[in-house]
Amino acid sequence: MDSFTRFEYEGWERVADKYDSVWSTSTRQFIPPLLDATEVSPAMSVLDIGCGPGYVSAAAAQHAAIPTGLDFSSEMIAIAKKMFPQIDFRQGDAQNLPFVDGGFDRVLANFALLHLSNPERACAEAFRVLKPGGKFGFTIWAPPTESPYAKIIDDAIQANADLEVDLPIGPPHYLFVGKEKFRQALERAGFNGSSMVFKLHTIEWSVPTTRFVFDAERNAGVRTAGLLARQTPEKLDAIRSVIEDRVRAYAKGEGFAIPKAAYVVAISKK
């Protein structure tokens, strides 16, 4: 296990029980457009990689598809099995899938690729286990230029954090740059580039307080949490202050509704 994979694995083992209460109201909103883009339909075999608590698998089952969920975190798999006991969940590596060639109609990944040390290897593995004509679909966070939430976090960190801290090197925070870079990467994995669907999808993440966002990033995630854990109390306070101030601009009702954007990508195997 390389250092970044170990960092991610240990992090998600530690915070798995926080995912549902903190992040699910955000990430689950991207599942319907992901299933639409990949045209998931009844009786299809669907592999959900980086399944976390199993939301994509459960949504596929609601479409009468036959899902299998896979995650490297044993804690996440335990949670998924408890939440959705009728679905097959397994612990495993998205970069070395424990499945035969050509076994699935669809492979889906909802915000999983950036938790892997080699996202392109995972794309190649998705290609391998897909049937001819099958589709690979994934979501990935859009950069600060297109996502107000990402800009809040990025601005606060860039202005106040010590970025020269000891963290394992992983993939870029915003994988590839633009539609053509995504197409080229997926073509390298073997996919039919001309079939690619690439859409920006924006949701509103409702949070109860201005402090909620900072606490979520610090205590319920892994990569940004690792950076924050290595800051001085003074720097942490400055980061928190900027985030809270920016969140106030999105007041709505009794809470705050922050726009978050992601790319929804789908592509076919020839």
Side-chain angles (χ1 to χ4, degrees), residues 32-55:
L34 176 60
L35 268 59
D36 287 347
T38 50
E39 299 178 315
V40 171
S41 59
M44 283 184 172
S45 54
V46 176
L47 176 60
D48 172 18
I49 60 175
C51 66
Y55 309 133

Side-chain angles (χ1 to χ4, degrees), residues 13-104:
E13 290 287 278
R14 184 175 61 251
V15 303
D17 62 341
K18 298 180 174 66
Y19 192 97
D20 190 66
S21 62
V22 175
W23 301 114
S24 68
T25 54
S26 165
T27 57
R28 291 181 88 158
Q29 292 189 62
F30 293 92
I31 296 174
L34 176 60
L35 268 59
D36 287 347
T38 50
E39 299 178 315
V40 171
S41 59
M44 283 184 172
S45 54
V46 176
L47 176 60
D48 172 18
I49 60 175
C51 66
Y55 309 133
V56 172
S57 295
Q62 289 178 345
H63 283 64
I66 305 165
T68 300
L70 180 130
D71 201 285
F72 69 171
S73 167
S74 59
E75 290 293 325
M76 283 293 195
I77 291 298
I79 292 167
K81 287 181 174 180
K82 186 175 181 179
M83 291 184 72
F84 307 107
Q86 74 281 13
I87 295 174
D88 179 16
F89 292 105
R90 310 179 191 184
Q91 186 177 9
D93 182 1
Q95 298 161 118
N96 187 23
L97 292 172
F99 303 105
V100 300
D101 296 359
F104 292 94

Side-chain angles (χ1 to χ4, degrees), residues 11 19 24 30 59 73 131 160 164 176-177 195 215 223 227:
Y19 192 97
S24 68
F30 293 92
S73 167
K131 297 175 182 178
N160 297 287
E164 300 301 318
F176 312 125
V177 180
S195 72
D215 287 342
R223 202 164 177 185
L227 176 69

Side-chain angles (χ1 to χ4, degrees), residues 152 207-216 240-251 254-256 258:
I152 289 172
V207 300
T209 66
T210 57
R211 176 68 183 250
F212 187 91
V213 170
F214 174 78
D215 287 342
R240 178 196 54 74
S241 179
V242 170
I243 291 174
E244 288 191 21
D245 185 60
R246 296 289 183 88
V247 170
R248 287 189 187 95
Y250 296 99
E254 295 182 357
F256 304 86
I258 311 166

Side-chain angles (χ1 to χ4, degrees), residues 6 34 39 68 116 134 150 154 266 270:
R6 184 176 296 106
L34 176 60
E39 299 178 315
T68 300
L116 306 172
D154 191 65
K270 296 176 182 177

